Amino acid sequence: MAILVIAEHDNAALKPATLNAVTAAAKIGGDVHVLVAGQGAQAVADAASKIAGVAKVLLADDAAYAHPLPENVSPLVVGLAKGYGHVLAAASSEGKNLLPRVAALLDVAAISDITGVVSADTFERPIYAGNAIATVKSADPIKVVTVRTTAFEAAAATGGSATVESVAGTGAAGTAKFVGQELTKSERPELTQAKIVVSGGRGMQSGDNFKLLEALADKLGAAVGASRAAVDAGFVPNDYQVGQTGKIVAPELYIAVGISGAIQHLAGMKDSKVIVAINKDEEAPIFQVADYGLVADLFKAVPELTAELDKA
Amino acid sequence: MKVLVPVKRVVDYNVKIRVKADGSGVETANVKMSMNPFDEIAVEEAVRLKEAGKATEVIVVTVGPTAAQETLRTALAMGADRGILVQTDAETQPLAVAKVLKALVDKEGPTLVILGKQAIDDDCNQTGQMLAALLGWPQGTFASKVVAGDGAVTVTREIDGGLETVELTLPAVVTADLRLNEPRYASLPNIMKAKKKPIETLAPDALGVDVAPRLTTLKVAEPPKRKAGVKVADVAALVDKLKNEARVI
Ligand SMILES: Cc1cc2nc3c(=O)[nH]c(=O)nc-3n(C[C@H](O)[C@H](O)[C@H](O)COP(=O)(O)OP(=O)(O)OC[C@H]3O[C@@H](n4cnc5c(N)ncnc54)[C@H](O)[C@@H]3O)c2cc1C
Ligand SMILES: Nc1ncnc2c1ncn2[C@@H]1O[C@H](COP(=O)(O)O)[C@@H](O)[C@H]1O
């Protein structure tokens, strides 16, 4: 049976997380269809039709989908889902908001944040902040699944030539209204997509001191992240948080600065290829996962590191 | 308006869990259990609504073993008015919990249900969304700010790119994120008072809900262990390693 992947987008461009979800769908096996629910989202549908391995794109263009309100989008997905064996989306804030609602309406379990596909009905997913991996099997006729993007490569954005088919919208539920958005603006790469991430913790002491990390990040072309303690203290915006309940990242290089390494933080970054820790406490748990540990005062080490990179 | 707050008893967030040798699950015997941290935030938000004169009653509910009564007592000590234990020894999966909660909503008639966004044991992040679906109510998930008005609630949500604000017609479901508030510690007098607050015990059957799990856990394994690496002497040595050994810069 075919697999329906819900595209994530802002009506203008397709978000890269969709590509990882497509790869997970390909692993399950079967025709991969992509649903674009949006308003004025033809460009997104066109982009989706070029993803390698996608057989068909469904475009539901309707004012009700101008913003991805789950109250409006879930009836659409439920209507379409009956023809599919699986419904997938990225385990992003958007996918996590929508898919459990869809699952409940279909009276099936939802399977969150999968990191592996064992077979069409059996998946691996982390539990307890990634300290255990559960293999779960679903007996439901439709599997509703969110996909951890760091666990699946992105599908090629080009090479495909799927047909784009229009589907009718199901209208607005009228119970939820989008009021506004306050998006964090940054010239740096997006946290979950960056090849290098520089993160700061409580040890940074202030938001102003994050400038030290930003200078380093800019030298490396990196994104900037943070621990929960740094976010709670108001040093940086909420969406910088890496961890069990923040963003999951797995870059080539993760540099943790002034972060102790609580399990909730490790849950969000321990699959990074190379981990560097800079901490003045040689007993800090972060050193247990770091490939390279530097026991030092960050206020001395970080500017030195930036300067050293300048030299080369 | 009445506010319903579902709370889950989970392994305390400070415990370093151990996977059972036979791969059947995670060791929970003789391990410290606590209220799911996000649910403390949900209880706090409900109690504040009551203190602000917006809520008339805060009802806390848990689906789980008899021992989960402790979790209800904690919530009562924080200021909730009464508790409901839906007693079951079965594993509680989000769809089943959502169905139990739906039955209780039908019975109790709350205007707002505030849940945690995620239980830190199963890390599912599903129950609130599922409950909203079953009730046909709007949902304000991952809330960092909740403003209850007349007939509507405005919720600021933590999303991947920043913050989003939605206005939901009441009745509605809200799930609490970390920055919604800082939960209070229960004072000793309030802990004493909580002992006298009522807790009702029900069976899932009495609510007409089948709580049998839909997903079977075939195996629970430890994740691949990361080896601790080396300590480097100084910044120059670090840069050298990153360039010449790891080749990541
Ligand atoms: C339900 C729940 C969910 C959570 N989710 C997350 C999550 O998603 N992400 C997350 O990160 N946390 C999360 N946490 C919080 C987590 O438990 C820790 O409290 C948090 O990660 C600690 O942040 P930190 O390492 O920055 O601060 P601390 O633990 O205070 O560590 C600060 C470190 O900085 C070092 N330091 C201080 N000054 C200097 C200096 N001058 N030079 C060098 N080093 C210095 C110190 O030695 C220390 O190791 C969660 C907690 C709960 C209960
Ligand atoms: N067994 C349970 N009893 C009461 N509330 C629960 C239970 N399981 C989950 N919840 C609620 O649903 C939220 C999300 O849980 P989950 O979907 O399992 O991540 C929790 O924070 C609780 O508020």
Side-chain angles (χ1 to χ4, degrees), chain A residues 70-71 92-93 96-97 100-101 104-105 107-110 112 122 125 127-140 174-184 220 228 231-232 238-239 241 244-245 247 252-253 263-264 270 272-273 275-276 282 287-295 301 304-305 308-309 312, chain B residues 11 13 15-17 19 26 28 38 95 99 117-118 120-126 129-130 132-134 136-139 141-142 144 157-169 178-179 214-223 226-236 238-239 241-243 245-246 248-249:
Chain A
E71 294 81 358
S92 57
S93 59
K96 290 178 193 166
N97 196 27
R101 190 168 178 115
L105 293 172
D107 193 27
V108 301
S112 294
T122 304
R125 58 177 303 268
I127 55 174
Y128 289 91
N131 287 301
I133 309 292
T135 304
V136 294
K137 184 179 163 103
S138 162
D140 288 319
T175 50
K177 198 170 83 195
F178 174 85
V179 177
Q181 254 178 5
E182 229 179 280
L183 299 184
T184 306
L220 293 165
R228 172 186 175 187
V231 174
D232 282 1
N238 298 352
D239 53 296
Q241 181 175 315
Q244 179 185 19
T245 54
K247 294 211 168 103
E252 299 279 303
L253 173 61
I263 50 172
Q264 293 87 5
K270 71 179 162 57
S272 304
K273 197 160 151 253
I275 297 174
V276 169
E282 64 174 319
F287 287 123
Q288 291 165 19
V289 299
D291 299 280
Y292 303 113
L294 178 60
V295 181
E304 249 182 69
L305 180 54
E308 185 78 21
L309 293 169
Chain B
V11 173
Y13 80 96
V15 171
K16 175 112 189 58
I17 59 105
V19 171
V26 162
T28 52
F38 289 99
L95 183 61
K99 287 181 177 180
K117 84 159 177 183
Q118 174 174 342
I120 60 162
D121 50 2
D122 62 25
D123 279 336
C124 275
N125 194 331
Q126 298 172 356
Q129 296 89 311
M130 288 184 151
L134 298 177
W137 292 6
Q139 65 191 52
T141 54
F142 327 147
S144 65
R157 308 181 51 237
E158 297 206 15
I159 58 169
D160 289 341
L163 296 171
E164 175 187 88
T165 305
V166 291
E167 192 187 286
L168 312 174
T169 312
L178 290 173
R179 255 116 5 218
R214 294 291 187 87
L215 297 178
T216 319
T217 300
L218 301 181
K219 178 172 89 180
V220 174
E222 290 215 25
R226 245 195 122 91
K227 291 198 301 285
V230 295
K231 293 250 169 72
V232 292
D234 53 26
V235 167
L238 175 62
V239 171
K241 292 275 193 201
L242 292 177
K243 279 200 172 136
E245 190 176 86
V248 285
I249 59 170

Side-chain angles (χ1 to χ4, degrees), chain A residues 106-121:
Chain A
L106 292 168
D107 193 27
V108 301
I111 306 163
S112 294
D113 219 9
I114 63 158
T115 51
V117 173
V118 177
S119 69
D121 63 4

Side-chain angles (χ1 to χ4, degrees), chain B residues 5-241:
Chain B
V5 183
V7 295
K8 187 177 188 188
R9 178 175 184 265
V10 298
V11 173
D12 186 84
Y13 80 96
N14 269 316
V15 171
K16 175 112 189 58
I17 59 105
R18 280 191 310 124
V19 171
K20 287 186 192 162
D22 65 0
S24 65
V26 162
E27 194 57 72
T28 52
N30 302 317
V31 167
K32 183 176 179 212
M33 306 293 283
S34 299
M35 192 191 307
N36 183 40
F38 289 99
D39 304 352
E40 288 181 5
I41 299 172
V43 172
E44 175 68 32
E45 195 66 14
V47 171
R48 286 188 194 181
L49 283 172
K50 190 174 174 202
E51 288 167 348
K54 289 190 172 153
T56 50
E57 189 184 29
V58 176
I59 309 162
V60 287
V61 45
T62 192
V63 186
T66 308
Q69 277 197 11
E70 287 167 31
T71 312
L72 292 176
R73 288 284 170 214
T74 308
L76 295 174
M78 287 174 73
D81 297 297
R82 63 184 165 97
I84 302 172
L85 167 69
V86 180
Q87 206 275 332
T88 172
D89 291 322
E91 176 197 352
T92 57
Q93 291 184 353
L95 183 61
V97 174
K99 287 181 177 180
V100 167
L101 296 174
K102 155 101 172 39
L104 286 174
V105 167
D106 291 343
K107 192 163 166 253
E108 298 283 349
T111 307
L112 192 61
V113 183
I114 311 180
L115 305 89
K117 84 159 177 183
Q118 174 174 342
I120 60 162
D121 50 2
D122 62 25
D123 279 336
C124 275
N125 194 331
Q126 298 172 356
T127 309
Q129 296 89 311
M130 288 184 151
L131 174 63
L134 298 177
L135 291 165
W137 292 6
Q139 65 191 52
T141 54
F142 327 147
S144 65
K145 192 171 167 206
V146 174
V147 182
D150 269 341
V153 58
T154 304
V155 180
T156 304
R157 308 181 51 237
E158 297 206 15
I159 58 169
D160 289 341
L163 296 171
E164 175 187 88
T165 305
V166 291
E167 192 187 286
L168 312 174
T169 312
L170 289 171
V173 170
V174 166
T175 75
D177 213 322
L178 290 173
R179 255 116 5 218
L180 182 56
N181 60 49
E182 240 181 86
R184 70 193 67 192
Y185 289 102
S187 67
L188 195 57
N190 284 341
I191 293 173
M192 298 313 289
K193 259 196 256 165
K195 294 196 168 141
K196 297 203 193 73
K197 292 184 180 175
I199 291 182
E200 180 189 357
T201 302
L202 295 170
D205 283 354
L207 294 167
V209 179
D210 174 11
V211 292
R214 294 291 187 87
L215 297 178
T216 319
T217 300
L218 301 181
K219 178 172 89 180
V220 174
E222 290 215 25
K225 275 249 173 346
R226 245 195 122 91
K227 291 198 301 285
V230 295
K231 293 250 169 72
V232 292
D234 53 26
V235 167
L238 175 62
V239 171
D240 176 61
K241 292 275 193 201

Side-chain angles (χ1 to χ4, degrees), chain A residues 58-74:
Chain A
L58 305 176
L59 173 61
D61 214 311
D62 190 314
Y65 312 134
H67 303 283
L69 294 171
E71 294 81 358
N72 295 353
V73 180
S74 56

Side-chain angles (χ1 to χ4, degrees), chain A residues 200-205 226-230 241-247 257-265 278-281 284 296-299, chain B residues 13 37-38 120 178:
Chain A
R202 199 196 310 268
M204 295 307 295
Q205 288 176 14
S227 71
R228 172 186 175 187
Q241 181 175 315
V242 170
Q244 179 185 19
T245 54
K247 294 211 168 103
V257 182
I259 293 178
S260 62
I263 50 172
Q264 293 87 5
H265 187 78
I278 302 177
N279 197 304
K280 68 176 180 191
D281 172 12
D297 186 334
L298 72 93
F299 294 104
Chain B
Y13 80 96
F38 289 99
I120 60 162
L178 290 173

